[in-house]
Amino acid sequence: MIARVAPALPIDRVFDYAVPELLRSTVRPGCRVVVSLHGREERGIVVEIGDGEIDGLEPMLSVESGPAFSAEALAFCRRICDMYLAPLGLVANRALPRRVGRSSDRDLVLEGELPTILEYLERAGQRAPRQAALLRRLLAAGGPVRESTLRAELGAIRAAAGRLIELGFVRDGRAAEPAHQGRGDAPKAERILVRGASRYDRYAEEIRATLGAGGRALVVSPNALAAAAVRDELERRLSMAAALYHGGVGEGERGAIWEACRSGKVRLVVGTRSAIFLPLANPELVIVDEEQDPAHKQSEMLPYFHARTAALELGRRVILGSAVPAVETAHAVASGAICEIDAGHAADRTWEVVDLRREPGPLTAPLLTRIGRTLERGGRAVIAVARTGYFRAAICRGCGRAIRCRRCRTTLGYRPEAARGACPTCGQKQELRCEACGRAAVRFIGEGIERIAETLAGRFPDARVARVDGRTIRSTSGRKAATAALNGAADLIVGTHIVACGPPLPDLRLACVLDFEEWTAAPDFRAEERAFQTALGLASRLSDGRAIVQTRRPDREIVSELCAGDLSAFYARELAHREAFGYPPFRALARVTLARRDRAKRRADEAAVGRALGRHPVDVLGPTAHPRSSSRSILLIKAMTSSDLDAACRSVQALGVPAMIDIDPERL
């Protein structure tokens, strides 16, 4: 027996290995194995098994127990790697969890007749108070509740839950499935855009119909915080449990979910983009919520895939959901490739424009007045800030030069807890002293989210102020705190674009984009689109109330389109610009990043790449210096068709130079 193995290395090759007799009963396509490659032990994924001559082949060393790919999931992973020019072995090994753990977090739900439960509750009130408290909580919920949630609210309830399960009053709700219902008036198209803040009603209807007909469903959210919020929203609407899958979930639990998907035990999963590789057998429904969000694009490591594109490749019925869809999606709707459903708005809102030329900011007097009135009336407010950190940059008071990182030359920001300059690129901390004139006297510019949150906490001392950004939701405790803040534990929420994603928030009466130009002036052709989506997405989370946009140019078209909610005008103007300058959806796009510390060698690589691209019908912009790394340079490739772009990128890949190729980059 011969196994073809893709090693977990950045090489796009498979190698043949002889399967020893002892391993033949356990090896299968999709499993992880250990092999010897050039004298070193390496992990890999079995791609194919066949018969043939084994003389001269290295023997396979071992087969690892634990999660494995199904045939369908491995084939899908292979297609994604082919689309994004990524090595299969490296990607498959990253996607596959290391081990299967035993999750103790059950979903408890009432079982049996209500009169019998109430009769037992009355008897248990005095002699079994924990059982009684648990029954009351489940009665109030009306559906499954996660055991960890119950434990946080009621204390130690495992023994009480076990006794109630023995008595038949409670069961694990993970197996619960909704009854079959029809799809209502949903169109028959395979690709659907559901637009509007009330889209979660449509999600629930589609999932109920899919599961009721025996299918499986996957919901993909842009980040772990949004995934948890969508999971909770759907569980409430469907009265059933859903598995939650993202990088912050423990390795063992992710492995357990992976295997439960492969065995068919789990049929509804909510997760981030990594969930797209779960071995759900032929999912009938894939939903990509907040499909416009740049976090759906993996930009940190191979494969540089987009969850929206992958979903269209994976699902039989794909729903893209958003309050403000991506420009590419709007174009697909206009061309008839995607069918649109308008889910409507969740709340009435009033727009107010604050002119930053007349009101000193970023926390202007009109905004502070509105926040004060909102808090007095028992409402909550959310503020969107474009910059993370405390201060964006430190400037020498003597010569006016920016203080830069000695390691990578990025402009240093400032963090008060370190009392030193902090590099946002490489993490280097150094004294804030000008290299040109030697002075240590500096001034700070560009207030970030931390500074804004601190200022608001001082201005409104009785208000509960919370910060929600990429740093705060990185840990499990941070995500729990952010979720609690969004759901009512905070009166004032200060956040990045993350706070503009998700269902409407309880008692949210005021939403503000602090400095609109900070969003629109970003060095990216999608900058105005991102600003528009953030502002309208933030307003869509209002229960009801007022949305404020602070800007130095209130007469701009985008501001009037925003306040009028005129998506058609915005898309028409944006698409005209994209077509004129050759950007998606009218051109296929790729970014090539060349990385070498030796400048002469990097220049030679740039010349070689330029010659290779010159043989293809593509336009090349650059090379230009990377904005955050002195050892990298960037080229942008534009092509009329995806096939032309693919051929050009493969010719670069064939050169063997250290190049990172990002197909359809979200940021340039």
Side-chain angles (χ1 to χ4, degrees):
M1 180 184 287
I2 297 174
R4 308 200 77 189
V5 177
L9 296 170
I11 53 175
D12 196 12
R13 286 187 60 190
V14 295
F15 298 86
D16 289 349
Y17 289 88
V19 182
E21 189 71 35
L22 289 174
L23 301 180
R24 291 185 180 182
S25 61
T26 55
V27 69
R28 64 184 185 277
C31 70
R32 183 185 277 125
V33 297
V34 178
V35 295
S36 176
L37 186 64
H38 302 307
R40 297 179 56 182
E41 289 189 4
E42 300 286 355
R43 283 188 171 90
I45 298 292
V46 175
V47 176
E48 187 180 348
I49 293 176
D51 297 322
E53 183 59 50
I54 64 172
D55 290 345
L57 293 180
E58 287 267 7
M60 182 180 292
L61 300 179
S62 64
V63 178
E64 293 197 351
S65 60
F69 280 94
S70 65
E72 295 86 354
L74 184 61
F76 169 72
C77 187
R78 200 169 196 167
R79 294 198 302 274
I80 294 299
C81 289
D82 187 59
M83 290 171 62
Y84 289 96
L85 308 181
L88 174 61
L90 185 68
V91 172
N93 273 278
R94 282 176 176 169
L96 196 62
R98 293 290 179 197
R99 60 185 176 86
V100 177
R102 180 176 294 177
S103 175
S104 61
D105 200 8
R106 298 171 291 185
D107 295 295
L108 302 181
V109 65
L110 291 176
E111 176 83 338
E113 298 294 329
L114 182 59
T116 308
I117 294 173
L118 293 175
E119 182 182 344
Y120 181 79
L121 176 60
E122 187 175 349
R123 296 201 310 270
Q126 296 296 324
R127 59 182 179 80
R130 288 195 184 277
Q131 292 182 33
L134 181 55
L135 285 174
R136 291 191 193 97
R137 177 65 177 82
L138 293 175
L139 280 167
V145 182
R146 193 153 276 104
E147 190 171 358
S148 59
T149 303
L150 294 167
R151 194 161 50 245
E153 295 177 1
L154 306 176
I157 50 91
R158 191 159 187 81
R163 179 57 179 158
L164 291 171
I165 289 173
E166 289 177 10
L167 294 171
F169 294 126
V170 172
R171 63 174 172 81
D172 187 342
R174 284 191 186 275
E177 295 180 7
H180 171 63
Q181 293 185 15
R183 294 184 185 272
D185 59 350
K188 301 299 182 183
E190 296 295 320
R191 299 178 176 186
I192 303 168
L193 170 67
V194 178
R195 182 171 63 83
S198 300
R199 60 190 180 277
Y200 299 96
D201 293 324
R202 175 63 66 166
Y203 293 173
E205 179 185 333
E206 290 280 344
I207 292 170
R208 188 179 291 113
T210 298
L211 301 190
R216 293 167 175 79
L218 171 66
V219 183
V220 184
S221 292
N223 56 65
L225 184 67
V230 171
R231 190 273 309 268
D232 293 344
E233 184 77 12
L234 291 175
E235 285 187 339
R236 181 181 65 81
R237 292 170 183 268
L238 295 168
S239 298
M240 64 170 294
L244 183 64
Y245 191 89
H246 56 74
V249 174
E251 189 75 16
E253 186 175 351
R254 289 202 308 133
I257 295 171
W258 183 284
E259 284 301 285
C261 290
R262 196 165 68 91
S263 65
K265 293 178 182 177
V266 171
R267 298 177 58 203
L268 173 59
V269 181
V270 181
T272 54
R273 59 178 183 254
S274 61
I276 208 81
F277 294 106
L278 282 169
L280 281 167
N282 295 322
E284 298 290 336
L285 175 65
V286 181
I287 299 172
V288 182
D289 190 37
E290 303 289 358
E291 59 86 27
Q292 84 293 341
D293 197 291
H296 280 303
K297 171 74 173 182
Q298 182 161 285
S299 302
E300 303 81 20
M301 60 183 180
L302 289 168
Y304 303 125
F305 77 101
H306 198 295
R308 180 179 59 221
T309 304
L312 294 172
E313 177 71 20
L314 174 66
R316 297 180 182 179
R317 184 175 179 84
V318 178
I319 292 179
L320 307 177
S322 176
V324 192
V327 169
E328 292 88 339
T329 304
H331 181 259
V333 169
S335 65
I338 295 177
C339 182
E340 181 180 8
I341 298 173
D342 189 346
H345 300 292
D348 294 329
R349 54 180 177 263
T350 302
W351 282 92
E352 180 178 339
V353 177
V354 176
D355 190 342
L356 289 174
R357 296 171 301 181
R358 300 175 181 175
E359 298 287 347
L363 294 173
T364 62
L367 173 60
L368 293 172
T369 300
R370 291 291 182 192
I371 292 174
R373 291 176 182 173
T374 299
L375 296 175
E376 287 173 4
R377 295 168 182 169
R380 302 195 300 144
V382 60
I383 311 296
V385 184
R387 285 189 294 259
T388 57
Y390 201 84
F391 284 114
R392 182 185 63 178
I395 306 296
C396 176
R397 287 187 180 275
C399 63
R401 288 183 172 87
I403 312 298
R404 295 187 179 275
C405 174
R406 297 192 189 101
R407 180 187 294 171
C408 69
R409 306 307 297 165
T410 301
T411 302
L412 289 182
Y414 173 72
R415 303 191 64 81
E417 65 269 22
R420 306 177 78 187
C423 178
T425 300
C426 68
Q428 170 89 352
K429 294 181 175 61
Q430 67 187 52
E431 182 185 6
L432 291 171
R433 181 178 294 275
C434 181
E435 290 181 319
C437 68
R439 295 188 61 175
V442 299
R443 64 185 179 89
F444 300 108
I445 62 170
E447 295 186 33
I449 184 174
E450 294 177 34
R451 169 72 173 178
I452 297 298
E454 182 183 277
T455 304
L456 285 172
R459 184 65 183 250
F460 302 100
D462 295 331
R464 300 167 296 173
V465 180
R467 179 165 60 89
V468 179
D469 58 20
R471 290 185 65 206
T472 61
I473 67 170
R474 199 169 294 164
S475 65
T476 301
S477 60
R479 286 192 296 274
K480 287 182 178 179
T483 299
L486 292 171
N487 288 335
D491 307 307
L492 269 173
I493 302 164
V494 185
T496 57
H497 80 282
I498 292 173
V499 296
C501 299
L505 295 172
D507 299 320
L508 188 65
R509 302 287 187 264
L510 181 67
C512 175
V513 176
L514 205 62
D515 188 334
F516 200 55
E517 275 65 47
E518 284 285 346
W519 304 83
T520 61
D524 194 307
F525 74 93
R526 290 189 172 98
E528 289 207 352
E529 177 189 4
R530 298 284 181 243
F532 192 79
Q533 289 163 341
T534 298
L536 269 185
L538 194 67
S540 74
R541 305 200 76 180
L542 287 168
S543 302
D544 57 64
R546 183 177 298 270
I548 297 176
V549 57
Q550 297 193 147
T551 174
R552 292 173 181 81
R553 296 181 59 193
D555 56 339
R556 293 174 67 189
E557 288 178 291
I558 190 173
V559 175
S560 59
E561 290 160 357
L562 175 65
C563 295
D566 193 347
L567 273 67
S568 297
F570 171 76
Y571 288 135
R573 188 169 52 80
E574 188 68 15
L575 284 166
H577 291 163
R578 300 276 183 95
E579 187 171 23
F581 291 97
Y583 284 110
F586 302 101
R587 293 283 190 95
L589 199 64
R591 183 187 63 204
V592 179
T593 304
L594 300 172
R596 279 195 197 267
R597 291 189 181 277
D598 188 302
R599 180 173 295 182
K601 291 182 178 179
R602 194 167 71 252
R603 294 288 181 265
D605 289 345
E606 292 169 359
V609 169
R611 288 192 297 270
L613 293 176
R615 296 190 288 270
H616 297 273
V618 298
D619 293 330
V620 182
L621 304 182
T624 59
H626 192 285
R628 291 190 172 183
S629 175
S630 59
S631 62
R632 296 183 181 187
S633 55
I634 297 173
L635 297 95
L636 201 64
I637 308 172
K638 295 180 180 181
M640 293 300 297
T641 66
S642 296
S643 58
D644 287 341
L645 184 72
D646 182 77
C649 290
R650 289 185 186 278
S651 69
V652 172
Q653 200 174 47
L655 294 173
V657 301
M660 293 169 281
I661 302 174
D662 187 352
I663 306 293
D664 191 21
E666 276 293 306
R667 293 187 175 91
L668 306 185

